[in-house]
Amino acid sequence: MATIEQRLKALEQQQSDAPMLVLFVGDRPTPEQQSEIDSAIKTGRMMIVFVAHGDTAWITGCGKPAPWEQQERSAQHG
């Protein structure tokens, strides 16, 4: 049986063959967009989300929380 570390590494290396998902959101995704984001993350589909507020973009797997999550964290701690 593979170690947990080996199993996690194998999962991290999985990528979907589906075309990249490209979304454009305002401050935060709509419920429908959030559903698409969650599905893409679960299936390993590459994705880029352009966020109008803050003029930024977010790519899954970049090691950073989504910009709308960062805003929520700042508001809670600020």
Side-chain angles (χ1 to χ4, degrees):
M1 182 172 177
T3 68
I4 296 290
E5 185 175 319
Q6 290 168 328
R7 292 172 64 190
L8 285 173
K9 188 168 189 148
L11 284 172
E12 290 171 350
Q13 292 174 346
Q14 286 184 341
Q15 287 186 354
S16 172
D17 291 335
M20 179 180 271
L21 175 64
V22 178
L23 293 175
F24 296 87
V25 303
D27 286 343
R28 61 180 305 107
T30 64
E32 294 81 16
Q33 290 171 323
Q34 187 61 56
S35 179
E36 287 184 87
I37 291 168
D38 294 341
S39 177
I41 290 170
K42 288 178 186 173
T43 61
R45 184 176 179 188
M46 296 294 294
M47 170 180 48
I48 186 166
V49 180
F50 293 98
V51 185
H53 179 75
D55 195 25
T56 190
W58 176 68
I59 300 173
T60 54
C62 69
K64 301 278 185 187
W68 53 92
E69 292 172 352
Q70 291 177 14
Q71 289 174 347
E72 289 172 1
R73 289 179 186 174
S74 294
Q76 290 174 353
H77 298 273

